[in-house]
Amino acid sequence: MNITKFQHDLVNWYEAEKRDLPWRRESDPYKIWVSEIMLQQTRVDTVIPYFNRFMEQFPTIDALASADEEAVMKAWEGLGYYSRVRNLQSAVKEVAQNYGGSVPADKDKFLSLKGVGPYTGGAVLSIAYGLPEPAVDGNVMRVVSRLLSIWDDIAKPSTRKIFEQAVGELMYEEDPSSFNQALMELGAIICTPTSPSCLLCPVQNHCQAFEEGVQRELPVKTKKKADKKVHIGAVVLSTNDGRILIEKRPESGLLANLWQFPNVEMPAETNPRHVLESFVEQEFGVKAAVSSNKVTDIKHVFSHLTWEIDVYTGVIEGDVEKERTQLVEKEKVESFAFSVSHQKIWNHVKGRKE
DNA sequence: AATCCGGGGCC
DNA sequence: GGCCCAGGATT
């Protein structure tokens, strides 16, 4: 391959065809950083409205560093992988304290921040500071596997280093920002997973896989094994004066720190109403009268497991005194950050009449 | 190296 | 249904 010609063909195409995205109108390293965190395992179209709202609420490092955690979670609600935003706020606080509020342009320093790995490190340092660091994500591994006909399994963690090496050798030192973004843009628009548009590709002449006619066989990626299923019973509990019981999930693990309605994994072959009433009394110390029939059922698919949630309603008497638990007015429920599955629960229940 | 961690949009 | 997505932390 003629590397110089490849670089120019790629970057010239990028400059002419790149999408107009909100973070591409910004040069503030903080905003580039936030966009890269949001874009982890998340499509551009999903991220755009979250990015715009986030920047209105938290326009600077100081704004995010000093923001209320609940407000930050609410801004991330529905975006998934919630540890991303907790790590981001933690890292931003560190930048505010230890680096005078400016994102460090040093690789070791930036990569030491929470939530910043090899991809995000390379992306921010190249895009915001013009450093010639590779930024290898799924797009780039797909594109480069085809360009250079690399048949290593991209599902294996060790394979990423092979691609970092390759991208380092292809790097366009005069404009690392455009080069890295061009590789990703090509993967997003032209060099797509199942049916790449090779006839429209600006670097078709440089592509080993196209020359060999094997572009649809690359990249090699082994499948992961099947996920688990969990049967859950959930209950929306009202007090006689119309308040709703919500609780905050644990600080770590699945959907950490998000709010939810009381729920428990359901054993097979038991009376669900009895199970839920016992659970509520144990967990919250109040007697509950739970509906005998479920209101609805919700199937919610995560990346690694599936919840099948049967939803009930119930009534409780008296107050609840428990950590991370609140009785809130109906009108206030939606001011808390819920996972999508529990948003679905509330949307089914809130319009009902008792 | 394997597993955990969300959610949505394709095909 | 399975697959993939501008991945990182934990074990």
Side-chain angles (χ1 to χ4, degrees):
Chain A
M1 183 196 300
N2 180 330
I3 291 183
T4 300
K5 188 166 191 316
F6 162 74
Q7 291 167 337
H8 285 108
D9 287 345
L10 178 67
V11 171
N12 288 340
W13 168 82
Y14 174 70
E15 293 300 339
E17 303 293 337
K18 64 182 176 186
R19 292 168 290 178
D20 179 18
L21 304 175
W23 44 93
R24 287 188 178 154
R25 294 170 170 248
E26 307 288 349
S27 57
D28 181 352
Y30 161 69
K31 297 184 177 179
I32 305 295
W33 180 12
V34 172
S35 75
E36 292 299 342
I37 299 296
M38 287 187 170
L39 286 162
Q40 289 171 6
Q41 298 292 289
T42 311
R43 292 172 191 281
V44 165
D45 289 341
T46 303
V47 167
I48 289 172
Y50 282 92
F51 178 81
N52 289 331
R53 272 183 268 124
F54 204 89
M55 285 309 151
E56 287 177 15
Q57 279 191 68
F58 315 111
T60 64
I61 296 238
D62 285 340
L64 182 57
S66 61
D68 173 40
E69 284 185 36
E70 294 284 342
V72 175
M73 286 302 290
K74 184 67 185 174
W76 207 269
E77 181 188 47
L79 198 50
Y81 287 132
Y82 298 93
S83 66
R84 289 185 292 176
V85 71
R86 195 160 63 155
N87 287 336
L88 175 62
Q89 191 181 22
S90 170
V92 159
K93 286 180 177 175
E94 187 173 343
V95 171
Q97 286 193 2
N98 298 344
Y99 300 108
S102 58
V103 179
D106 176 82
K107 185 178 179 184
D108 288 335
K109 290 188 172 104
F110 188 57
L111 279 164
S112 74
L113 297 171
K114 284 183 183 167
V116 178
Y119 165 74
T120 304
V124 173
L125 293 175
S126 64
I127 296 171
Y129 292 122
L131 301 182
E133 297 289 339
V136 174
D137 68 342
N139 277 318
V140 170
M141 286 198 282
R142 182 174 61 255
V143 169
V144 175
S145 74
R146 288 168 176 165
L147 272 173
L148 303 179
S149 189
I150 296 173
W151 294 76
D152 297 80
D153 180 5
I154 68 168
K156 296 174 62 167
S158 58
T159 301
R160 195 196 70 249
K161 294 180 180 174
I162 295 172
F163 286 93
E164 285 176 346
Q165 167 92 20
V167 171
E169 292 170 9
L170 296 173
M171 175 63 62
Y172 181 48
E173 306 270 348
E174 285 73 15
D175 189 351
S177 169
S178 293
F179 177 78
N180 278 339
Q181 292 187 79
L183 281 179
M184 294 186 275
E185 192 82 347
L186 191 68
I189 296 176
I190 303 286
C191 197
T192 52
T194 54
S195 58
S197 305
C198 298
L199 298 182
L200 301 176
C201 181
V203 293
Q204 185 203 93
N205 293 343
H206 309 282
C207 184
Q208 188 69 29
F210 181 76
E211 187 177 328
E212 298 171 359
V214 295
Q215 65 270 19
R216 299 178 78 103
E217 300 173 42
L218 288 170
V220 175
K221 185 174 187 179
T222 55
K223 307 186 209 319
K224 59 167 192 168
K225 48 185 180 182
D227 59 337
K228 296 175 291 189
K229 285 190 172 142
V230 179
H231 187 4
I232 301 247
V235 58
V236 178
L237 295 170
S238 307
T239 61
N240 47 26
D241 59 348
R243 290 173 297 162
I244 306 293
L245 175 56
I246 63 174
E247 64 168 344
K248 195 173 184 178
R249 292 178 61 85
E251 296 180 351
S252 63
L254 183 64
L255 303 171
N257 283 337
L258 289 175
W259 291 84
Q260 67 177 4
F261 303 102
N263 66 90
V264 63
E265 185 169 346
M266 299 298 275
E269 305 295 321
T270 50
N271 180 322
R273 181 172 59 85
H274 179 68
V275 170
L276 285 169
E277 288 178 347
S278 302
F279 169 75
V280 170
E281 181 157 13
Q282 277 185 72
E283 199 71 11
F284 303 100
V286 290
K287 299 256 189 204
V290 173
S291 61
S292 52
N293 294 101
K294 63 183 178 187
V295 172
T296 185
D297 52 74
I298 291 167
K299 181 176 177 174
H300 192 79
V301 180
F302 295 95
S303 50
H304 59 300
L305 80 133
T306 299
W307 276 353
E308 290 169 346
I309 311 172
D310 287 338
V311 181
Y312 296 81
T313 57
V315 177
I316 54 175
E317 289 183 16
D319 280 333
V320 176
E321 298 287 342
K322 189 166 185 262
E323 286 293 302
R324 304 172 76 86
T325 303
Q326 290 192 44
L327 290 170
V328 302
E329 298 167 26
K330 280 181 183 163
E331 293 73 20
K332 299 278 182 63
V333 169
E334 289 170 32
S335 66
F336 294 81
F338 287 83
S339 69
V340 168
S341 55
H342 283 254
Q343 292 177 51
K344 291 177 187 168
I345 291 173
W346 181 239
N347 284 333
H348 275 282
V349 171
K350 69 177 181 183
R352 291 174 63 87
K353 300 186 177 176
E354 293 300 331

